[in-house]
Amino acid sequence: MCMALASVLLGWLNLDAESAGYVWGTALPRVLPTTLILAVVVPALAGVLGVAAAWLVAVHEFPGRRLLEALLIVPLAIPAYLLATVYIGWLDYAGPIQTLLRAWFGQGAALPPIRSTGGAAITLALALYPYVYLLARGAFATQGQRALEVGQSLGMSRWQGFWRVGLPLARPWIAGGLLLVMMETLADFGAVAAFNVDTLTVSIYQAWFALFSLPTALSLASVLVLVAAVVAAAERRTRRQRGYTAAGQQARRVHLHGAGAWGATVALGTLATVAALAPITQLLVWAAQHASDFDTRYWAFASHSLSLSAMAVGLLLAGALALAGLQNRAGRAGHLLARIAQSGYAVPGAVLAVALFTPLAGLSNAFNAATPADWAPILLHTSLATVLLAYATRFMTVASQPIEAGQLRITPALRDAARSLGLQGSRLWATVHLPLLRPAILGAALLVFIDVMKELPMTLMTRPYGWDTLAVRVFEMTAEGEWERAAVPGIGIVLLGLLPVAWLMRSSDPSGATDAA
Amino acid sequence: MLRAKLWVTPAHRPLLALMAACVAAVLPACGQQQSAGEPLVIYSSRNEQLIKPLLDQYASETDQAIELVTGKEGPLLQRMRAEGDQSPADLLLTVDAGNLWKAADDGLLRPLDDATLEQRIPPHLRDPQGRWFGLSVRARTIAYSTERVQTDALSTYAALGEPQWDGRLCLRTSKKVYNQSLVAMMIAAKGEDIAQATVESWVANLATEPFANDTAVLKAIAAGQCDVGIVNSYYFGRLQREADELPVALFWPNQAEGLGEARGVHVNVSGAGITKAADQFDAALALLRWLASAEAQAGFAGDNLEYPANPAVEPVPQVQAWGDFVPSLINVSTAGRLQADAVKLMERAGYR
Amino acid sequence: MRLELDGVEKSFDGKTVLSGVTLTVADGELACLLGPSGCGKTTALRLLAGFEQIDAGSIRGGGQILADTQTHVPAQRRNIGMVFQEHALLPHLSVAANVALGLRSMDAKARAERVDETLSLVGLTAWRDRYPAQLSGGQSQRVALARSLAPRPKALLLDEPFSNLDVTLKEHLLYEVRDILRQAGMTALLVTHDQHEAFALADKVGVINAGAIQQWATPYDLYHRPANRFVAGFVGEGVLLAGQRDADGRVTTELGLLRGEQVGTEDKEVDVLLRPDDIIHDDASPLCATVVRKAFRGAQILYTLELASGARVLSLVPSHHNHRMHEPIGIRLATDHVVAFARHRVERG
């Protein structure tokens, strides 16, 4: 990660005055407001959707709750650029909905333009809210009965209880989710490009691909890193002194009745339909229209996607746990190291890949030049290890956020008790931390698995020969604008992404938890 | 004795087993990448499903092992730069003259002096120093609504800025390289000032925000959101295949003889060049010659409804049906050279 | 194992929590640190356990240095067990597994035996396969105790272990815990703010306030021979009544001459501590006081009585002597100890 960051910063040294002057002087002032609007509005929308949905499913009972609880995670598995393509396909002037409106109400009938900053914000929020939902749901489910009872005993209504107790106690989780949403928004290229909304990331690619100035692109990327780091640090500062441990046993669900119950079902059902079911149906229809594209190679693509994701999960979980351990003992330096390791998420994948790739290629070259000519040349920059390293630099924060938040629920007494019994080091971790972090670890695993499954630019650039994945397949289709054909591999990503969603739902099923606990 | 709750419950085992099996199945593949008898390595940003069948055909006919590494243009070029002399790439295959120009400009490609290639590919479709050769031609032209537009109202690209098209024009985003090279060619023909005035007049005539792709432009014309637009011909061809009665047609602009430098339909190429780092020069040259040959050209261009770069080869019938046109004869490398200027010009003109 | 704190100091963020704490718990002794909340008693315990590092002084266990300004033996190597207020059972482990936590060095068979042995010591053999969420408060307290005892620690620290339990359960458990600890021959230090717990469990009690030990003594001595006004006020009930020492050194008050062992200052002008049991209701006594408050305690009634001077005293009277409010009743002194403090200001216990 440090190497990649250094590469990004090296961009500053190689700036060519002309391109840099143009981008920083002309393009940046135009894209920066849009970028900031998206960076604020998308997390805000995703936060409202995610927290409200999480609160409903985590502490209430209503018809269809179990099914909705799972369905609401599903948009996570749909790449944002595919969701954007689907929505634009439906809602643009030439799409079926506006065509129908014109047929019914005459030529003047129109929706607000979907290809706009607003359209992009809503789409990104619908694609990204599961990050908040997933984390907040875990927090609400584990905050303990006692906290809510204290609220009730102080005369708070359920609504006040949510604002005064539930929300504050879940804050690190929600903040972690919002941070992920914000960084993902900053780094997004595919979705905003589909809306032709210009953000900083678009400018980065513009500088690189159109102006042929990679250093300018890297210098712009460092701005993204900075923004992400500042926001993350600010968030941490405000919650430094507080405790977030759980009190009491797992809360019992509040049974909703009548209008409240059906209201919850309808509201969440609508969200699940708009963000997951309908887009997936559309992808399935498109995929069916291009079913002839599907051949036996797809088994290999799927298998590559699956194994890369699985390996990345293993690597990143180990890394995130190590970082968590480091932060526990190493104080300031550990925190700094953790922050650095986590800042990659706000950088567009292609930029991060090239930042990682260039020094590695240089290293390979140096090694190959120094070794006898008949030695097989090594290709450090395109190897399985590099792909995984690239994932690690980009997705470390995805693994870390849930685990760091989960640690806050471990009461100091539990740690002390174990220490007084002579447990230390790895045993302490294995006996106390890991089991108590289990929900957080599963959540992190799910996020990483799906994110890696969707990841494209880094896989494309650093994969070893022959390692084509479903996401690479999507690229092959979309490179020539065949978005609907991309539905074939796209739906594959969604289906594989659903596997761990189903897994997570099973293992975090409250009934399953109580019969053993 | 420790009766901890099981980390992985039995219900999860099948899934874990599946994952493990996948990992196990692909791991052996890692070790093999360097073996199979020195294959020819191609770095390609051209759509894999367009190029792969041709390469497979060549491989089976000649017994030449081929490794195809696909990727996005920018990262692929950066990869070659980073790999330097040791790049495994023998041949670079990419779309857009701008990328080819950039690769040549960065010294990644080897100049060729090859009579066969020069005979097969016309001069304006290849690098003057022979570092790359266009293999297929992509025409960027005007699409119009057959319901609301008479063809005699259409003449040139620049004329789409006339007041009669106010609120009737659809464009694709200026971030797409096709529009960047179109504008770059306008700069080459008419100078920056006139080009900027033209772009500004387009922007003033826009019916809606620029679209993210050409297909959306064509659909918007069909749906009545606008009446004219600028697209690559093969997108029209693709849409034509899906819907027979498309109320949209192509018009070839800038055909009048008095237009001088500006005469001709704007064309771009997809093409290839042999890399500086190539250690299989002969094999790479043989493949490049074959790709320019009549045998390969029909498929290379035809599969994507493009025009063959080799004038001896006819386009496929669907493409022929759109009629003949005079292409712009400015060397396509100009588009690369002026691309950055075009980008800045469009930003100034407010073309998003 | 003998536990010794010598001049221990500790502050957090510049705020002194413990200053010069010195105490000794003899081997096999059950001791207690008693004090109001925020007095530093839990900090003392955590220093002993090794969860925190001391700023000055030293801590020894069985004569060995556990901590001083150079040394800090980490918690997990002190072989000192700890029972927490929250019980801190690991929710994902069964009762037996929780108890087995500290038994890693044993082989499986020995471990199982030790778990069964400890569980039977706390009477929870039948619950060995339950999970913490399925236990009552008293049960989880006993599991926590068993867990700490299982590895046979050299000493046991208990941090407010009964504070989350209801009163009857607490009474019951207190004696049970004491018996368990005695049976195990355990050196133990309990921290509590509840003197009943302290008196029921401990051989020696240290009253701690404002970061310093006020008195380290048996419960009897704390009650009857308090070292200062704070201890007198904090431990037990009682009032201070003005008195004068005569030439023979005996103290006279409004209630007459006090007999018994002289404790405390030898000043002339003193305040003497009068416990409720020092004043006996006696209808025959010429000395009268008026009932101004009464608290029914089952077997006894605690009367607050107003003397002629307006000063008030307490008297614990068998509850069949049920007097009305404002009724004058006869009382007499029955002191064994005369606890006198220098009179510098009026202070009520």
Side-chain angles (χ1 to χ4, degrees):
Chain A
M1 184 63 219
C2 283
M3 192 171 74
L5 271 185
S7 279
V8 170
L9 293 177
L10 272 179
W12 285 99
L13 298 180
N14 298 321
L15 282 184
D16 61 303
E18 205 195 333
S19 302
Y22 160 75
V23 172
W24 283 86
T26 314
L28 205 58
R30 184 168 66 79
V31 301
L32 216 49
T34 319
T35 310
L36 292 179
I37 288 172
L38 284 179
V40 171
V41 172
V42 173
L45 284 176
V48 170
L49 289 176
V51 171
W55 181 250
L56 278 173
V57 302
V59 289
H60 298 85
E61 186 61 86
F62 48 86
R65 198 261 311 159
R66 292 280 303 273
L67 181 65
L68 285 168
E69 193 165 4
L71 279 181
L72 287 169
I73 307 180
V74 171
L76 200 62
I78 309 175
Y81 51 84
L82 284 182
L83 200 64
T85 307
V86 169
Y87 287 160
I88 294 172
W90 287 342
L91 294 171
D92 209 355
Y93 184 93
I97 293 175
Q98 293 222 49
T99 304
L100 209 61
L101 282 179
R102 284 194 298 277
W104 287 346
F105 303 109
Q107 280 301 314
L111 296 174
I114 174 83
R115 288 176 298 108
S116 59
T117 309
I122 291 171
T123 305
L124 281 171
L126 285 171
L128 302 177
Y129 83 85
Y131 288 106
V132 182
Y133 168 76
L134 206 58
L135 286 164
R137 176 175 144 275
F140 291 142
T142 59
Q143 68 194 353
Q145 181 118 0
R146 197 72 65 239
L148 286 176
E149 284 171 351
V150 167
Q152 284 172 348
S153 73
L154 294 173
M156 295 179 193
S157 67
R158 276 215 300 278
W159 179 240
Q160 288 169 320
F162 166 71
W163 280 107
R164 310 274 292 276
V165 181
L167 203 56
L169 267 178
R171 196 176 122 185
W173 287 258
I174 295 171
L178 291 178
L179 208 60
L180 291 179
V181 171
M182 196 197 77
M183 290 167 104
E184 184 96 43
T185 304
L186 286 175
D188 173 78
F189 175 73
V192 291
F195 288 96
N196 197 30
V197 168
D198 295 350
T199 63
L200 195 51
T201 304
V202 174
S203 280
I204 290 174
Y205 282 112
Q206 180 88 336
W208 183 5
F209 298 160
L211 300 177
F212 300 123
S213 175
L214 183 57
T216 307
L218 292 175
S219 72
L220 286 172
S222 64
V223 175
L224 285 181
V225 175
L226 188 73
V227 170
V230 166
V231 172
E235 197 284 319
R236 233 147 239 292
R237 234 186 143 68
T238 59
R239 68 164 141 107
R240 209 162 36 172
Q241 304 279 332
R242 306 182 195 198
Y244 295 94
T245 52
Q249 305 169 4
Q250 192 164 41
R252 271 189 297 280
R253 290 175 185 282
V254 177
H255 281 258
L256 295 178
H257 298 286
W262 290 107
T265 310
V266 169
L268 295 186
T270 308
L271 179 58
T273 307
V274 170
L277 295 179
I280 288 177
T281 310
Q282 176 67 80
L283 289 177
L284 280 171
V285 169
W286 283 342
Q289 287 166 357
H290 297 96
S292 59
D293 281 358
F294 183 84
D295 55 33
T296 49
R297 290 189 303 163
Y298 271 83
W299 296 115
F301 300 147
S303 153
H304 290 153
S305 284
L306 206 56
S307 30
L308 280 180
S309 295
M311 285 187 272
V313 165
L315 180 70
L316 278 153
L317 285 184
L321 288 169
L323 276 183
L326 195 69
Q327 280 180 283
N328 275 353
R329 67 181 64 186
R332 212 165 255 273
H335 279 282
L336 184 68
L337 204 62
R339 290 290 84 70
I340 291 176
Q342 293 171 9
S343 59
Y345 199 47
V347 183
V351 174
L352 201 56
V354 81
L356 196 69
F357 176 101
T358 309
L360 280 177
L363 216 61
S364 306
N365 287 352
F367 179 83
N368 293 340
T371 51
D374 54 339
W375 285 28
I378 58 161
L379 293 174
L380 276 185
H381 53 291
T382 52
S383 65
L384 214 49
T386 313
V387 182
L388 292 174
L389 187 66
Y391 294 152
T393 50
R394 178 141 159 70
F395 295 122
M396 188 53 84
T397 192
V398 178
S400 282
Q401 288 293 344
I403 288 174
E404 275 184 25
Q407 276 205 303
L408 296 173
R409 286 281 197 254
I410 299 176
T411 57
L414 282 178
R415 219 166 18 224
D416 289 347
R419 283 173 68 196
S420 76
L421 291 167
L423 293 172
Q424 56 179 319
S426 57
R427 289 207 69 106
L428 184 64
W429 267 85
T431 319
V432 180
H433 289 255
L434 285 183
L436 293 175
L437 285 174
R438 183 172 173 272
I441 290 174
L442 288 178
L446 175 75
L447 288 177
V448 170
F449 185 88
I450 293 178
D451 261 341
V452 169
M453 183 79 66
K454 293 188 291 185
E455 204 286 328
L456 174 61
M458 296 192 305
T459 315
L460 197 57
M461 229 177 136
T462 54
R463 80 204 133 113
Y465 175 69
W467 271 77
D468 286 1
T469 65
L470 289 170
V472 169
R473 207 64 210 149
V474 171
F475 159 77
E476 302 287 4
M477 298 300 177
T478 55
E480 281 299 341
E482 300 193 83
W483 285 93
E484 299 181 4
R485 275 178 90 179
V488 178
I491 206 75
I493 293 176
V494 175
L495 291 179
L496 284 185
L498 286 178
L499 283 180
V501 172
W503 184 11
L504 185 83
M505 291 319 293
R506 279 193 79 125
S507 60
S508 65
D509 181 354
S511 63
T514 42
D515 64 29
Chain B
M1 162 65 33
L2 277 175
R3 287 268 225 100
K5 190 155 119 188
L6 283 176
W7 183 261
V8 175
T9 65
H12 303 140
R13 277 185 200 142
L15 192 67
L16 273 192
L18 178 67
M19 285 188 173
C22 280
V23 175
V26 295
L27 275 179
C30 317
Q32 301 172 353
Q33 61 194 72
Q34 296 295 326
S35 56
E38 282 299 298
L40 186 65
V41 180
I42 301 174
Y43 280 13
S44 165
S45 73
R46 190 172 166 85
N47 219 344
E48 192 239 28
Q49 63 266 34
L50 290 179
I51 185 75
K52 185 114 189 335
L54 272 178
L55 293 177
D56 286 347
Q57 184 194 340
Y58 182 76
S60 68
E61 282 174 10
T62 60
D63 245 1
Q64 172 66 54
I66 291 175
E67 240 179 48
L68 178 64
V69 175
T70 55
K72 229 169 139 52
E73 300 85 1
L76 215 49
L77 289 188
Q78 175 59 23
R79 174 162 167 179
M80 284 177 65
R81 261 197 297 274
E83 289 169 344
D85 315 339
Q86 300 188 9
S87 175
D90 298 307
L91 194 68
L92 173 71
L93 219 156
T94 179
V95 290
D96 185 66
N99 291 314
L100 290 164
W101 170 83
K102 179 64 180 162
D105 196 49
D106 283 357
L108 297 174
L109 300 178
R110 183 181 299 200
L112 296 181
D113 191 6
D114 186 77
T116 312
L117 283 169
E118 279 165 18
Q119 178 254 318
R120 288 177 180 170
I121 306 296
H124 71 283
L125 298 179
R126 55 175 150 91
D127 178 46
Q129 297 177 41
R131 291 169 296 187
W132 51 264
F133 296 83
L135 292 172
S136 69
V137 175
R138 333 174 110 197
R140 190 152 190 82
T141 187
I142 293 177
Y144 64 95
S145 162
T146 52
E147 291 164 347
R148 296 180 301 281
V149 175
Q150 302 297 317
T151 47
D152 53 10
L154 294 163
S155 58
T156 63
Y157 298 105
L160 293 178
E162 287 168 2
Q164 61 163 320
W165 301 112
D166 185 24
R168 299 172 69 190
L169 175 65
C170 275
L171 289 178
R172 181 184 190 159
T173 171
S174 66
K175 263 86 70 188
K176 187 63 194 183
V177 64
Y178 304 153
N179 285 334
Q180 293 164 359
S181 51
L182 172 64
V183 173
M185 291 303 219
M186 287 166 60
I187 295 174
K190 294 279 189 181
E192 284 222 15
D193 293 343
I194 293 178
Q196 181 168 347
T198 301
V199 174
E200 279 168 3
S201 65
W202 286 350
V203 173
N205 281 349
L206 283 179
T208 177
E209 288 288 311
F211 290 88
N213 56 68
D214 283 5
T215 307
V217 171
L218 289 163
K219 284 184 175 169
I221 295 172
Q225 192 172 17
C226 44
D227 300 337
V228 287
I230 300 176
V231 298
N232 279 7
S233 60
Y234 54 91
Y235 289 107
F236 173 73
R238 257 188 235 161
L239 215 56
Q240 227 179 8
R241 279 177 178 172
E242 284 173 23
D244 312 329
E245 307 201 349
L246 202 60
V248 180
L250 294 181
F251 174 84
W252 303 115
N254 296 41
Q255 298 295 292
E257 281 190 27
L259 288 169
E261 281 274 88
R263 188 177 183 216
V265 171
H266 170 60
V267 291
N268 204 326
V269 294
S270 73
I274 297 176
T275 66
K276 270 247 174 77
D279 46 15
Q280 305 240 59
F281 178 80
D282 293 340
L285 182 61
L287 176 59
L288 189 54
R289 282 178 181 161
W290 183 76
L291 287 173
S293 73
E295 187 190 358
Q297 276 282 293
F300 193 96
D303 289 348
N304 195 33
L305 303 176
E306 294 173 44
Y307 293 88
N310 184 338
V313 181
E314 290 287 320
V316 294
Q318 186 192 351
V319 175
Q320 281 185 44
W322 303 335
D324 291 329
F325 62 87
V326 180
S328 166
L329 291 178
I330 304 176
N331 189 288
V332 288
S333 65
T334 311
R337 190 165 47 81
L338 296 175
Q339 181 167 318
D341 293 331
V343 169
K344 294 174 199 171
L345 184 151
M346 289 190 281
E347 172 83 34
R348 283 198 301 276
Y351 179 11
R352 303 283 176 257
Chain C
M1 178 172 76
R2 182 185 175 85
L3 298 174
E4 293 164 281
L5 269 67
D6 187 12
V8 168
E9 306 203 353
K10 178 71 183 171
S11 52
F12 292 107
D13 302 326
K15 189 170 166 282
T16 303
V17 178
L18 292 178
S19 53
V21 170
T22 301
L23 63 85
T24 302
V25 183
D27 190 23
E29 193 171 61
L30 302 185
C32 175
L33 280 176
L34 174 67
S37 51
C39 68
K41 56 188 190 296
T42 296
T43 303
L45 209 62
R46 293 177 60 80
L47 289 171
L48 251 170
F51 298 137
E52 314 281 355
Q53 303 200 12
I54 60 174
D55 296 340
S58 69
I59 298 176
R60 288 163 198 273
Q64 306 280 321
I65 288 281
L66 293 181
D68 59 18
T69 41
Q70 278 96 46
T71 323
H72 177 83
V73 178
Q76 52 273 15
R77 282 200 264 124
R78 291 195 180 187
N79 210 350
I80 294 178
M82 182 138 172
V83 180
F84 293 81
Q85 182 174 2
E86 306 90 333
H87 310 169
L89 299 180
L90 293 178
H92 58 285
L93 297 181
S94 69
V95 165
N98 262 289
V99 174
L101 264 184
L103 302 176
R104 296 169 316 284
S105 55
M106 299 183 175
D107 65 50
K109 188 161 164 285
R111 200 187 303 147
E113 278 171 11
R114 179 61 185 155
V115 167
D116 289 340
E117 193 182 342
T118 349
L119 278 177
S120 81
L121 191 68
V122 298
L124 283 177
T125 310
W127 297 77
R128 52 169 299 142
D129 294 329
R130 301 293 182 100
Y131 283 85
Q134 298 166 304
L135 302 178
S136 69
Q139 287 168 335
S140 54
Q141 182 56 73
R142 280 184 289 177
V143 174
L145 183 66
R147 184 177 67 178
S148 323
L149 289 175
R152 300 182 206 277
K154 298 249 176 64
L156 188 64
L157 307 174
L158 303 103
D159 182 12
E160 301 261 11
F162 306 106
S163 65
N164 285 335
L165 306 176
D166 66 64
V167 179
T168 40
L169 185 62
K170 188 197 287 198
E171 289 285 306
H172 184 73
L173 207 57
L174 265 172
Y175 292 103
E176 210 178 291
V177 167
R178 188 184 63 184
D179 293 344
I180 291 168
L181 293 178
R182 284 256 185 269
Q183 203 177 328
M186 187 59 60
T187 308
L189 182 62
L190 168 87
V191 146
T192 181
H193 63 276
D194 181 338
Q195 50 189 293
H196 295 296
E197 277 176 43
F199 292 168
L201 205 75
D203 304 321
K204 283 274 183 60
V205 176
V207 175
I208 184 166
N209 188 43
I213 300 279
Q214 307 290 325
Q215 187 172 5
W216 182 260
T218 62
Y220 185 90
D221 281 350
L222 280 183
Y223 189 80
H224 291 295
R225 300 188 184 97
N228 57 34
R229 285 167 184 259
F230 177 81
V231 177
F234 189 73
V235 175
E237 292 160 314
V239 295
L240 290 169
L241 198 63
Q244 291 82 34
R245 201 178 293 277
D246 62 18
D248 299 335
R250 298 180 302 180
V251 177
T252 314
T253 67
E254 193 180 348
L255 294 172
L257 187 67
L258 299 176
R259 287 168 228 281
E261 181 192 345
Q262 298 288 326
V263 178
T265 181
E266 290 172 7
D267 285 8
K268 281 198 99 67
E269 296 292 320
V270 295
D271 287 330
V272 289
L273 174 67
L274 290 176
R275 298 290 190 189
D277 55 327
D278 288 338
I279 293 169
I280 291 176
H281 172 41
D282 184 354
D283 285 329
S285 169
L287 208 57
C288 267
T290 315
V291 176
V292 291
R293 189 184 297 156
K294 55 189 276 195
F296 185 70
R297 292 193 172 173
Q300 292 149 324
I301 297 175
L302 179 69
Y303 287 102
T304 306
L305 305 168
E306 195 166 280
L307 306 179
S309 69
R312 292 181 174 189
V313 294
L314 300 170
S315 175
L316 203 55
V317 175
S319 69
H320 59 267
H321 294 281
N322 191 7
H323 297 283
R324 293 187 307 278
M325 292 287 284
H326 309 299
E327 185 185 336
I329 62 171
I331 54 170
R332 78 180 152 78
L333 283 170
T335 49
D336 286 329
H337 305 87
V338 180
V339 182
F341 302 113
R343 180 168 343 137
H344 47 91
R345 59 190 167 93
V346 177
E347 194 174 17
R348 298 207 43 196

